[in-house]
Amino acid sequence: MFRSVFSIVLSLVVALNFSFTQTQKRTIPSFPAHTRNSFFSHVNFGVSAGLGISLFNSPDLVDYLNTHGVSNTVGEFQSAPEFFTALEIPLSENYGVKLEYAHLFTTYILYTPYQSDEEYTVKMPMLLVQKLFPDSITMVKLGVGAGYHFVTFDETIFGNTTRYTTEGVGFKGEMEINAALSEALFAYIAGDVRFDFFQTLRSTHRVTYPIPYGNTLFRNPTFSFIALGLKLGVIVYL
């Protein structure tokens, strides 16, 4: 009798284990063809989009705002939302390229003592080279790249808006992780660091607006910055 009971229990354990294994195979999505080596033979490109937040430091922007505001002080580090979209093209199982467009913006309200509204926007197209580390259900990518970026700074006082612009080169390093939600749809998680270097800020009339530097000196602002970013979104592989 003991042997019969043992045989029945053993049969149930084996059956449950087989059922659990099959359930895992059905519910855990993976890259197409379910093998990392064959993934790139089934994929031509990936399209991603999402929203992130950046913590950035622009000494010129901070000094400009604090110079013109009298009742509020802007901190050294500022946070700003950042929208992004990208086209990713694998070149092999280990390397790929990424064409990205990101849009960072933030606003400020100053009292001088009248109210002025300031809007800071950076448009950041970029080309990156990526090192790929594919797995069965995730993809890790390390990328570096550069692009030519464009800044607009709008200052509105009593309904009149003055636009300042500048442009320059930006560099970026990032780590991106894709986690499978289905065979084509993946979660997108990325962290990055940016270094942007701009020319002198000028108004629509090509006039500079110097800001104090020390006790008696003035300098022309560029609004160059360094930033750390975190981004969430989705990527579809086609």
Side-chain angles (χ1 to χ4, degrees), residues 128-165:
L128 297 99
V129 177
Q130 295 179 311
K131 172 65 174 175
L132 312 179
F133 302 91
D135 203 343
S136 59
I137 61 173
T138 59
M139 169 84 78
V140 178
K141 307 171 185 176
L142 300 179
V144 293
Y148 201 72
H149 299 168
F150 305 88
V151 174
T152 59
F153 182 72
D154 293 333
E155 184 173 61
T156 302
I157 302 175
F158 296 129
N160 297 316
T161 300
T162 301
R163 168 161 290 188
Y164 299 90
T165 61

Side-chain angles (χ1 to χ4, degrees), residues 53-132:
I53 187 163
S54 291
L55 183 67
F56 72 98
N57 171 243
S58 175
D60 285 353
L61 176 62
V62 171
D63 290 347
Y64 182 94
L65 296 173
N66 287 334
T67 297
H68 294 80
V70 296
S71 61
N72 50 339
T73 301
V74 177
E76 183 177 359
F77 289 90
Q78 301 294 308
S79 61
E82 180 179 328
F83 294 97
F84 72 91
T85 184
L87 173 67
E88 302 189 18
I89 304 173
L91 302 178
S92 68
E93 293 182 5
N94 298 312
Y95 293 96
V97 294
K98 179 178 182 179
L99 298 172
E100 180 186 75
Y101 174 78
H103 187 96
L104 181 148
F105 69 96
T106 186
T107 59
Y108 305 90
I109 298 177
L110 303 180
Y111 297 94
T112 61
Y114 46 83
Q115 178 177 317
S116 66
D117 299 319
E118 323 287 333
E119 182 175 322
Y120 177 65
T121 303
V122 189
K123 299 176 181 179
M124 301 178 287
M126 182 162 287
L127 173 63
L128 297 99
V129 177
Q130 295 179 311
K131 172 65 174 175
L132 312 179

